[in-house]
């Protein structure tokens, strides 16, 4: 198939126009209007990404609480000492600033008549407020007014790095295949997480930005915290947030107390493990019961209680999002027929691009924000990407990272790299590799590869509650997927993108299993049957994965716990 070739340049290239990418663009333009900012988005910025797909709740911290209090709570109960406590502190401290910024960008956040925020208590230590689901549309409008350039339907396929410095990216149009070489002084990766295309609402998280950053040599951190799983109703596939508080087995026994003795912020992998154990013991299926034993289950305030019901009703009182909520309710009522049988719903959420407190990656001039670098920032510790046991932290983490990175870029005169051309032979090699699936008349289809990766990662005993032999089995399947990905064949431009996304899934699964095998303990969300205990003596470490000359390498780094205020006993 024929295609055009074009060269573009800009000061800042932002790959991905979701809430994170739009935040970075807005922040950069507001702080330094002279910078030429280009967003390249493979879908349509404003409609793409996840911030407009779901709950639209934002984490809220009472300003009367000191950020240090929340950090302590989080480190001890959620992050399990694996987090970067300084970045977490900064995130909590900026809460009100972020909310006000969203309002200044045109987003609809509810306030009470007296001007205070309309807050829904969820606890412990944290609450939620809402945002209407046109959030990214509003942000796009504002960004365009400020002069941000946006290219939709164009996917960033590869990053160019010379002597450890970012030089730009290769991209192509998914409408007519046009090949773009985009030169940039700075690149911001804002391409979201890896969700392995399994759960439909999360299917936009395809990890191709993560895989491109990996190929470019960027370090990855906490790859093993890559698989979030929620509870869903078996019949309707509807996710049941906080359903883990009300789990019963087939004998009518209340099983929540087997894994939860106090009120927790959100689902933990222990709930998923309990479901697995019940099924193995022949006491399944597991179902939910409401509300007579509600007291026993100690649900999070504002979610299952009467007071919570009223708050939830207001939660969805958002003009733009109302339609989607109605559709959701109708579909669950018709498909569900009252059954409360549940099973785990694999969601994924790998987000491992390693970044520092300014969201800078290990490649000079390259930043990564939001869902592609949530665990890579190490801020949250031992959890997968949002919600990471903090409902409402996904959108705000992306906003936080976008602001921090935007400020860093806007303030920089130069990233310190000498200007250099991207060598022509490098461009030619990248172009050839990108379009190769279109030239093949035989070979595997993207779906063949995706099916294999899903066969490895979706069963929860291979991705959430793991053991060496089960991991080996899954790795064997991923190896088959890698083999199949070598001769991928595409029929059109969209199919070409599907091939690249499928290959990215293989890379992400490989990183997940390599790091999971290495971590010989259980910590937070990460559970191993063969190493069931937390091991602070040997495993207060981050696992770093990096592509060195085409080979996946792994090493560990001690968490610098001495410099943090909260330490394990
Ligand atoms: C069903 C659902 C419900 C949710 N509910 C909430 C909630 O209530 N509250 C909350 O805080 N969070 C919620 N989240 C999570 C939250 O939406 C995400 O954490 C947040 O949107 C992440 O923003 P992001 O910009 O980093 O990534 P994304 O929103 O994933 O945006 C990434 C963008 O990059 C584009 N892209 C990807 N690859 C490329 C490429 N190679 N080239 C060009 N463009 C590319 C994508 O098309 C997309 O537009 C929910 C998520 C889902 C799926």
């Amino acid at each position: 198939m024929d295609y055009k070739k074009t060269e573009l340049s800009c000061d800042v290239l932002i790959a991905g126009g979701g809430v994170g990418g739009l935040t970075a663009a807005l922040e950069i333009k507001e702080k330094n209007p002279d910078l030429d900012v280009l967003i390249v988005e493979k879908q349509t910025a404003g409609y793409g990404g996840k911030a407009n797909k779901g709950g639209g709740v934002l984490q809220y911290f009472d300003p009367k609480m000191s950020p240090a209090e929340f950090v302590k709570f989080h480190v001890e109960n959620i992050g399990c000492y694996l987090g970067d406590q300084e970045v977490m502190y900064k995130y909590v401290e900026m809460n009100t600033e972020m909310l006000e910024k969203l309002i200044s960008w045109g987003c609809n956040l509810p306030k009470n008549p007296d001007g205070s925020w309309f807050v829904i208590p969820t606890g412990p230590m944290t609450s939620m407020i809402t945002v209407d689901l046109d959030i990214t549309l509003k942000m796009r409008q504002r960004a365009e007014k400020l002069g941000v350039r946006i290219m939709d339907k164009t996917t960033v396929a590869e990053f160019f790095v010379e002597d450890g410095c970012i030089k730009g990216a290769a991209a192509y149009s998914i409408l007519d295949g046009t090949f773009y070489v985009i030169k940039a002084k700075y690149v911001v990766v804002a391409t979201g997480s890896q969700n392995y295309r399994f759960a439909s609402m999360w299917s936009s998280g395809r990890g191709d930005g993560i895989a491109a950053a990996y190929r470019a040599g960027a370090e990855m951190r906490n790859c093993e915290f890559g698989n979030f799983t929620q509870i869903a109703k078996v019949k309707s596939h509807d996710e049941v947030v906080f359903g883990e508080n009300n789990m019963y087995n087939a004998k009518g026994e209340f099983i929540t107390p087997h894994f939860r003795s106090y009120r927790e912020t959100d689902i933990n992998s222990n709930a998923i493990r309990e479901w697995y154990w019940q099924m193995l013991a022949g006491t399944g299926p597991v179902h939910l019961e409401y509300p007579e034993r509600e007291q026993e289950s100690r649900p999070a305030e504002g979610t299952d209680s009467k007071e919570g019901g009223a708050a939830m009703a207001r939660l969805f009182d958002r003009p733009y999002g109302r339609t989607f909520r109605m559709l959701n309710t109708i579909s669950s009522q018709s498909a569900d027929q009252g059954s409360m049988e549940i099973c785990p719903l694999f969601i994924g959420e790998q987000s491992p691009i390693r970044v520092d407190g300014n969201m800078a990656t290990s490649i000079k001039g390259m930043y990564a924000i939001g869902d592609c670098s949530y665990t890579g920032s190490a801020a949250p510790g031992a959890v997968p990407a949002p919600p990471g046991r903090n409902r409402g932290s996904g959108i705000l983490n992306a906003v936080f990272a976008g602001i921090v990175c935007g400020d860093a870029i806007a303030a920089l005169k130069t990233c310190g790299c000498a200007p250099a051309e991207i060598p022509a032979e490098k461009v030619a090699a990248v172009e050839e590799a990108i379009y190769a699936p279109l030239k093949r008349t035989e070979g595997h289809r993207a779906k063949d590869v995706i099916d294999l990766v899903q066969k490895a990662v979706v069963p929860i005993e291979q991705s959430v509650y793991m053991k060496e032999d089960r991991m080996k089995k899954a790795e064997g399947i991923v190896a088959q997927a890698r083999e199949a990905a070598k001769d991928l064949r595409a029929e059109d431009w969209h199919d070409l993108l599907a091939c690249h996304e499928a290959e990215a899934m293989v890379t992400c699964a490989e990183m997940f299993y390599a790091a999971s095998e290495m971590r010989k303990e259980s910590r937070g969300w990460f559970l191993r049957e063969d190493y069931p205990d937390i091991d602070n003596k040997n495993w207060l470490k981050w696992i770093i994965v990096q592509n060195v000359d085409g080979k996946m390498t792994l090493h560990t780094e001690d968490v610098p716990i001495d410099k943090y205020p909260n330490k394990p006993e």
Side-chain angles (χ1 to χ4, degrees):
M1 287 169 89
D2 292 335
Y3 55 88
K4 287 191 227 144
K5 297 183 195 184
T6 306
E7 201 175 286
L8 301 171
S9 64
C10 57
D11 293 318
V12 187
L13 165 65
I14 300 180
V19 66
L22 286 164
T23 301
L26 282 160
E27 187 70 12
I28 293 168
K29 270 298 197 189
E30 286 186 348
K31 291 273 161 72
N32 190 344
D34 293 339
L35 287 176
D36 175 19
V37 179
L38 172 67
I39 292 179
V40 176
E41 162 61 50
K42 72 176 169 186
Q43 219 255 14
T44 300
Y47 292 98
K50 293 180 182 159
N52 45 14
K53 302 287 182 297
V57 295
L58 306 177
Q59 193 169 28
Y60 176 80
F61 301 105
D62 189 335
K64 290 200 268 314
M65 178 188 74
S66 109
E69 277 179 74
F70 179 78
V71 173
K72 180 172 168 29
F73 163 78
H74 193 280
V75 167
E76 289 172 357
N77 296 285
I78 297 174
C80 303
Y81 301 94
L82 205 68
D84 183 325
Q85 299 180 24
E86 291 166 356
V87 182
M88 176 57 80
Y89 186 97
K90 209 161 143 185
Y91 164 76
V92 180
E93 197 182 29
M94 277 173 59
N95 188 254
T96 312
E97 180 189 337
M98 292 192 273
L99 301 176
E100 294 292 1
K101 235 172 207 176
L102 286 172
I103 288 186
S104 78
W105 292 334
C107 305
N108 176 13
L109 277 68
K111 285 196 171 179
N112 293 312
D114 67 359
S116 60
W117 296 104
F118 173 61
V119 176
I120 299 162
T122 50
M125 304 287 282
T126 168
S127 305
M128 297 188 313
I129 64 170
T130 59
V131 60
D132 209 348
L133 300 184
D134 54 358
I135 169 172
T136 39
L137 283 171
K138 292 284 169 53
M139 290 171 76
R140 177 181 177 141
Q141 281 164 11
R142 173 92 185 128
E144 284 181 316
K145 265 196 193 135
L146 292 179
V148 173
R149 291 191 286 148
I150 300 181
M151 275 169 72
D152 289 320
K153 304 290 179 205
T154 307
T155 189
V156 172
E158 218 67 69
F159 298 112
F160 291 115
V161 177
E162 292 297 311
D163 302 325
C165 268
I166 195 76
K167 296 293 165 212
Y172 62 90
S173 161
I174 60 166
L175 299 181
D176 65 10
T178 302
F179 179 62
Y180 297 97
V181 173
I182 308 172
K183 293 182 180 169
K185 292 179 190 147
Y186 304 99
V187 168
V188 180
V189 189
T191 49
S193 56
Q194 173 59 273
N195 297 93
Y196 300 104
R197 290 187 76 164
F198 186 70
S200 56
M201 293 280 278
W202 284 262
S203 68
S204 68
R206 300 184 181 187
D208 38 326
I210 295 170
Y214 168 80
R215 287 193 296 273
E219 288 183 6
M220 305 282 146
R221 172 163 54 174
N222 289 328
C223 295
E224 68 276 30
F225 293 91
N227 286 329
F228 179 59
T229 299
Q230 184 59 275
I231 282 175
K233 292 186 190 167
V234 169
K235 278 200 177 163
S236 62
H237 299 181
D238 276 349
E239 184 195 10
V240 194
V241 178
F242 303 123
E244 70 280 4
N245 286 318
N246 296 71
M247 282 168 54
Y248 289 75
N249 66 15
K251 290 158 90 180
E253 291 163 343
F254 181 41
I255 57 173
T256 296
H258 296 182
F259 59 87
R260 173 167 292 190
S261 56
Y262 58 95
R263 206 178 83 203
E264 294 188 36
T265 50
D266 203 344
I267 189 165
N268 199 349
S269 45
N270 294 340
I272 305 301
R273 179 180 59 188
E274 179 66 26
W275 175 90
Y276 177 70
W277 279 346
Q278 293 288 338
M279 299 303 277
L280 276 189
T283 45
V286 175
H287 65 281
L288 305 181
E289 276 184 30
Y290 300 92
E292 13 346 331
R293 298 196 196 169
E294 211 170 68
Q295 289 313 309
E296 279 178 79
S297 67
R298 299 170 213 227
E301 258 173 49
T303 54
D304 296 298
S305 64
K306 265 190 202 149
E307 176 205 335
M312 290 302 269
R314 271 193 78 184
L315 175 68
F316 290 102
D317 185 20
R318 288 164 289 169
Y320 184 86
R322 200 179 295 140
T323 347
F324 303 107
R325 178 65 190 168
M326 275 169 64
L327 286 174
N328 187 28
T329 310
I330 291 161
S331 85
S332 63
Q333 278 169 356
S334 55
D336 212 23
Q337 295 167 338
S339 167
M340 294 302 259
E341 185 184 332
I342 52 142
C343 67
L345 171 67
F346 176 83
I347 285 174
E349 297 286 30
Q350 193 187 37
S351 56
I353 305 179
R354 183 187 191 161
V355 289
D356 66 10
N358 285 329
M359 304 299 137
T361 70
S362 58
I363 294 173
K364 250 190 190 169
M366 184 179 184
Y367 294 73
I369 59 174
D371 272 10
C372 67
S373 65
Y374 185 68
T375 61
S377 75
V383 290
R389 309 202 66 218
N390 284 289
R391 289 284 150 181
S393 63
I395 294 173
L396 277 193
N397 170 65
V399 171
F400 164 72
I403 292 173
V404 170
C405 135
D407 287 349
I409 291 176
L412 281 171
K413 297 253 176 318
T414 159
C415 70
C417 299
E421 286 300 306
I422 305 165
E425 61 277 13
K426 213 169 200 176
V427 173
V430 162
E431 183 185 346
E432 178 152 343
I434 287 175
Y435 293 92
L438 279 167
K439 296 185 183 136
R440 294 193 185 105
T441 50
E442 286 182 2
H444 287 89
R445 307 306 309 269
K447 193 172 179 310
D448 302 332
V449 174
I450 295 167
D451 284 350
L452 281 166
V453 177
Q454 289 180 344
K455 207 169 140 194
V457 298
V458 171
I460 54 121
E461 67 275 22
Q462 288 166 198
S463 54
V464 176
Y465 183 47
M466 292 178 291
K467 196 175 173 204
E468 177 125 4
D469 55 351
R470 299 198 288 265
M471 278 192 266
K472 289 267 182 248
K473 178 182 162 199
E475 278 179 301
I477 303 170
V478 174
Q480 289 172 37
R482 169 60 69 202
E483 215 33 52
K486 285 182 184 161
D487 66 352
L488 276 164
R489 170 170 69 89
E491 287 187 344
D492 56 36
W493 308 116
H494 277 83
D495 205 18
L496 182 62
L497 176 59
C499 290
H500 295 143
E501 291 170 343
E503 201 276 337
M505 285 183 205
V506 180
T507 302
C508 288
E510 286 171 342
M511 293 196 290
F512 171 76
Y513 285 112
S516 296
E517 270 209 78
M518 192 174 195
R519 182 170 292 282
K520 298 206 170 11
E521 64 158 355
S522 290
R523 184 181 295 267
W525 189 272
F526 183 80
L527 291 181
R528 283 190 62 157
E529 189 177 349
D530 41 0
Y531 297 95
D533 300 317
I534 192 163
D535 180 356
N536 284 325
K537 191 160 166 268
N538 299 303
W539 275 104
L540 210 50
K541 293 178 195 304
W542 289 314
I543 296 175
I544 311 297
V545 179
Q546 192 178 18
N547 171 17
V548 179
D549 300 327
K551 198 170 176 298
M552 189 173 286
T553 64
L554 285 86
H555 69 271
T556 60
E557 261 177 36
D558 290 341
V559 174
I561 200 76
D562 289 341
K563 71 170 184 166
Y564 297 145
N566 305 292
K567 303 172 181 41
E569 283 169 9

